[in-house]
C-alpha cells in the first residue's frame, strides 16, 4: 500500500481542470488513461467530496489504477502534483542528480523520477512570482554545445560516466530500438503471388465449381519472429556495464512493434538468475530494483561455464525455440574449468540461431585474445562486438539482422592462428 503523506490540497475552484491535468501527468508517466476515466474521476470526486485527504486519494486511485505496477507511479505523481510542501526542491533534485544539498541524501523511490519527468513535461504550471533580486540571479543555460555533448556521450565508456551522464545515457537508451527481420516459417498464408500451391484450397474451390479447376490457390511463407535471449554477466568487472545494458534490455522488452516474439533475460556471476518477469514491468526503476533484489550475486565472482551449463540444462528448451538470437554480455574472464566452458558455449551456439557476444574489453584498440576464457569462447560465437557505449549498442541494432556480420571475430581469430 502506498505511503500516505501529509498533503496540502489547495482550495482551488477549478477542481475539474486540476484533475484533468493530473490525469495527463499520469498518462505521460505510462498509465493507460482516456477521457472516459477522467470524466468518471471528476464525477466520483463530486460524489465523494474530499473533506478527507485519504478519501480523495483513494477515490482517484480507484478511477485511474487497475494494475499493481501502476500503484507506485500513481502515489508519486499524486504526492508531487497535489502540492507536496517541498515540490520544487524534489523536482530539481531528481532532475539534476549531480546537485546535492537541495534535499536529504537518499535514493529516489521507485517511479519518483519518472513522476517528476511526467509532471515537468506534461503539465504547464504558472511560475511563482519572483522578486527583483531573484530575477537578477536567474540561471542561464548555454545549449550551443548540446549536439557535440550528446555525440561525446554516445562514444563515452559507461564506466567513465558521471552520475548525470549515466542518467542522460539511460534516457537515450530508452529511445533506442533493436529491430529484427522476420523469419520465413514452413507454415503458409494465402497469397496470389506465393511460390507454393495450396492444394487443399485449390481442390475445395474446384469442388464448388462442379470439379472444374479455374484458379490455383497459392501460399506464401508465413513470417514469424524469433525470441531474444540475453545472458548478462553481473560480476565485479562487469557490474557498471550490466546495469546500463539492463536498462537497454528493459526498453527492448517493453517496445511495441520491435519484432521480437519474446525477450528473455538472465543474469549470471556465480549462479544463473532468470529476471525476465521483472523486465516486463513498465516502470524501469521498479523493474531493475526487483531484478537486483533477486540476483544475489551482484559484483561477485565469475563462473561462466557453470552458469551456461545451468542455462543449457534448465532453460534452453523453454526459451530457445523458434530460432532464438542470443546476446552474451560478458568480458570472458573465466577462472573455472576451460573444458566445461568449451562444452557449454558450443552447446549454446548449436541451440541458437545466432550467438552474439558483447564484450566491453573491445573498447581497447590493442585488445588481443589472451585470456583463457576468450580463447575458449571466441570460435563458438557468430559475432564478437563491443558493448561499452551507446554507440556500440546502436551498431548492434543496425547489424543484428545481418547473418553475415562477424564484428571483430575474424580479426581476432586471425590473431589466434598467428
Amino acid at each position: 500500500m502506498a505511503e500516505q503523506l501529509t498533503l496540502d490540497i489547495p482550495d482551488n475552484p477549478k477542481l475539474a481542470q486540476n484533475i484533468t491535468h493530473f490525469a495527463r501527468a499520469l498518462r505521460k508517466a505510462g498509465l493507460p488513461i482516456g477521457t472516459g476515466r477522467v470524466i468518471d474521476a471528476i464525477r466520483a470526486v463530486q460524489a465523494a467530496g474530499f473533506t478527507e485527504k485519504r478519501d480523495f486519494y483513494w477515490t482517484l486511485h480507484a478511477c485511474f489504477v487497475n494494475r499493481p505496477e501502476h500503484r507506485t507511479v500513481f502515489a508519486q505523481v499524486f504526492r508531487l502534483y497535489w502540492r507536496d510542501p517541498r515540490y520544487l526542491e524534489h523536482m530539481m533534485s531528481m532532475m539534476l542528480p549531480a546537485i546535492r544539498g537541495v534535499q536529504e541524501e537518499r535514493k529516489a523511490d521507485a517511479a519518483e523520477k519518472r513522476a517528476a519527468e511526467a509532471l515537468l513535461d506534461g503539465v504547464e504550471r504558472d511560475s511563482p512570482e519572483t522578486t527583483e533580486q531573484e530575477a537578477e540571479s536567474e540561471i542561464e543555460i548555454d545549449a550551443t554545445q548540446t549536439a557535440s555533448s550528446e555525440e561525446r556521450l554516445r562514444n563515452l565508456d559507461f564506466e567513465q560516466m558521471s552520475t548525470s551522464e549515466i542518467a542522460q545515457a539511460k534516457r537515450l537508451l530508452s529511445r533506442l530500438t533493436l529491430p529484427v527481420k522476420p523469419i520465413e516459417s514452413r507454415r503458409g498464408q494465402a497469397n496470389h503471388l506465393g511460390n507454393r500451391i495450396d492444394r487443399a484450397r485449390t481442390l475445395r474451390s474446384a469442388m464448388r465449381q462442379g470439379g472444374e479447376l479455374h484458379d490455383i490457390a497459392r501460399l506464401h511463407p508465413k513470417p514469424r519472429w524469433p525470441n531474444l535471449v540475453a545472458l548478462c554477466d553481473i560480476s565485479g568487472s562487469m557490474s557498471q556495464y550490466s546495469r546500463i545494458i539492463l536498462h537497454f534490455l528493459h526498453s527492448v522488452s517493453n517496445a511495441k512493434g520491435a519484432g521480437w516474439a519474446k525477450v528473455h533475460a538472465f543474469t549470471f556471476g556465480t549462479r544463473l538468475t532468470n529476471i525476465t518477469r521483472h523486465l516486463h514491468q513498465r516502470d524501469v526503476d521498479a523493474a531493475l530494483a526487483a531484478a537486483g533484489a533477486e540476483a544475489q550475486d551482484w559484483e561477485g565472482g565469475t563462473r561462466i561455464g557453470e552458469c551456461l551449463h545451468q542455462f543449457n540444462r534448465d532453460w534452453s528448451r523453454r526459451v530457445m525455440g523458434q530460432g532464438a538470437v542470443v546476446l552474451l554480455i560478458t568480458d570472458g574472464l573465466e577462472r573455472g574449468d576451460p573444458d566445461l566452458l568449451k562444452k557449454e558455449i558450443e552447446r549454446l551456439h548449436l541451440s541458437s540461431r545466432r550467438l552474439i557476444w558483447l564484450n566491453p574489453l573491445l573498447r581497447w584498440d590493442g585488445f588481443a585474445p589472451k585470456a583463457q576464457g576468450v580463447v575458449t569462447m571466441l570460435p563458438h560465437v557468430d559475432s564478437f562486438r563491443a558493448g561499452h557505449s551507446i554507440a556500440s549498442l546502436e551498431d548492434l541494432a543496425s547489424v543484428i539482422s545481418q547473418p553475415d556480420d562477424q564484428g571483430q571475430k575474424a580479426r581476432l581469430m586471425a590473431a589466434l592462428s598467428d
Side-chain angles (χ1 to χ4, degrees):
M1 181 179 295
E3 180 183 358
Q4 291 296 311
L5 302 173
T6 303
L7 301 173
D8 295 329
I9 300 177
D11 184 14
N12 193 327
K14 297 183 180 179
L15 181 60
Q17 183 178 351
N18 283 335
I19 293 176
T20 302
H21 288 168
F22 175 59
R24 290 175 184 170
L26 290 175
R27 183 163 56 245
K28 195 70 178 181
L31 273 66
I33 295 174
T35 306
R37 288 200 186 183
V38 178
I39 295 173
D40 291 342
I42 294 172
R43 290 174 177 172
V45 171
Q46 184 179 8
F50 57 90
T51 53
E52 292 290 335
K53 298 170 185 177
R54 181 180 295 271
D55 292 343
F56 181 58
Y57 175 90
W58 289 110
T59 299
L60 294 180
H61 186 281
C63 295
F64 292 140
V65 177
N66 61 356
R67 298 183 65 180
E69 59 266 29
H70 294 161
R71 295 172 183 170
T72 305
V73 179
F74 176 87
Q76 296 296 348
V77 177
F78 183 91
R79 178 175 64 85
L80 292 177
Y81 185 86
W82 296 101
R83 303 300 190 269
D84 186 336
R86 299 187 62 189
Y87 174 82
L88 292 178
E89 289 83 355
H90 280 296
M91 299 291 273
M92 290 300 297
S93 59
M94 284 185 289
M95 299 304 293
L96 301 175
I99 298 177
R100 299 300 182 200
V102 177
Q103 65 170 18
E104 305 92 349
E105 287 290 335
R106 66 174 181 84
K107 294 183 179 180
D109 296 334
E112 192 170 18
K113 183 178 178 184
R114 180 175 163 195
E117 290 176 343
L119 285 170
L120 285 178
D121 188 45
V123 177
E124 296 182 359
R125 293 177 176 270
D126 296 333
S127 300
E129 295 181 0
T130 57
T131 63
E132 183 177 352
Q133 182 178 357
E134 291 173 338
E136 292 177 355
S137 61
E138 284 187 357
I139 300 175
E140 295 185 0
I141 301 175
D142 183 7
T144 56
Q145 300 298 322
T146 302
S148 59
S149 298
E150 185 170 315
E151 184 61 30
R152 171 185 170 277
L153 183 67
R154 293 159 75 94
N155 293 279
L156 188 63
D157 192 302
F158 291 142
E159 214 167 44
Q160 299 173 353
M161 291 181 177
S162 64
T163 304
S164 59
E165 289 171 337
I166 289 175
Q168 289 178 309
K170 289 176 180 178
R171 284 194 291 270
L172 289 176
L173 288 175
S174 66
R175 300 195 298 265
L176 184 61
T177 59
L178 195 63
V180 63
K181 294 180 180 178
I183 303 171
E184 290 188 354
S185 66
R186 280 181 281 183
R187 292 180 177 271
Q189 60 183 5
N191 190 317
H192 67 283
L193 298 178
N195 53 8
R196 290 160 48 191
I197 296 177
D198 187 347
R199 297 180 179 86
R201 196 154 59 95
T202 299
L203 291 176
R204 286 196 300 269
S205 176
M207 290 174 64
R208 287 193 294 268
Q209 303 295 328
E212 296 183 4
L213 184 63
H214 295 284
D215 298 313
I216 297 179
R218 294 186 174 275
L219 291 173
H220 186 75
K222 187 177 182 179
R224 61 177 178 83
W225 282 264
N227 290 342
L228 177 65
V229 179
L231 300 171
C232 193
D233 187 346
I234 57 173
S235 60
S237 59
M238 285 289 298
S239 60
Q240 182 63 26
Y241 299 102
S242 300
R243 285 187 174 93
I244 299 181
I245 290 177
L246 284 177
H247 270 264
F248 173 58
L249 291 175
H250 176 270
S251 65
V252 173
S253 299
N254 291 274
K256 295 181 179 179
W260 299 102
K262 293 182 180 178
V263 178
H264 301 275
F266 297 81
T267 61
F268 68 91
T270 56
R271 65 180 186 178
L272 185 75
T273 304
N274 185 356
I275 61 169
T276 301
R277 63 188 180 91
H278 299 306
L279 293 187
H280 289 165
Q281 297 186 43
R282 179 67 181 271
D283 183 79
V284 62
D285 298 326
L288 296 187
E294 183 161 347
Q296 299 294 322
D297 52 343
W298 277 95
E299 300 187 5
T302 310
R303 299 175 183 171
I304 303 177
E306 294 180 17
C307 292
L308 291 184
H309 170 70
Q310 185 178 353
F311 175 81
N312 289 330
R313 182 193 63 197
D314 300 336
W315 294 100
S316 180
R317 291 187 179 181
R318 305 186 197 182
V319 304
M320 297 289 286
Q322 308 298 317
V325 176
V326 179
L327 292 181
L328 180 61
I329 303 106
T330 180
D331 52 15
L333 301 181
E334 167 73 327
R335 294 175 177 82
D337 183 3
D339 293 332
L340 175 64
L341 177 60
K342 180 180 179 181
K343 175 184 176 182
E344 298 303 330
I345 191 66
E346 183 177 8
R347 180 179 173 184
L348 179 64
H349 185 207
L350 293 174
S351 302
S352 60
R353 181 177 182 84
R354 291 198 72 207
L355 177 56
I356 302 174
W357 181 5
L358 299 183
N359 192 331
L361 296 181
L362 272 179
R363 66 186 184 276
W364 307 113
D365 294 334
F367 175 82
K370 296 180 180 180
Q372 181 62 46
V374 177
V375 173
T376 302
M377 296 167 64
L378 188 59
H380 303 288
V381 299
D382 296 301
S383 181
F384 188 47
R385 306 188 62 85
H388 65 289
S389 65
I390 297 174
S392 64
L393 295 180
E394 289 175 337
D395 292 340
L396 170 67
S398 64
V399 302
I400 194 168
S401 294
Q402 298 179 12
D404 56 345
D405 172 71
Q406 293 188 349
Q408 299 293 322
K409 179 182 176 180
R411 177 179 67 84
L412 295 177
M413 288 297 294
L416 279 176
S417 61
D418 292 341

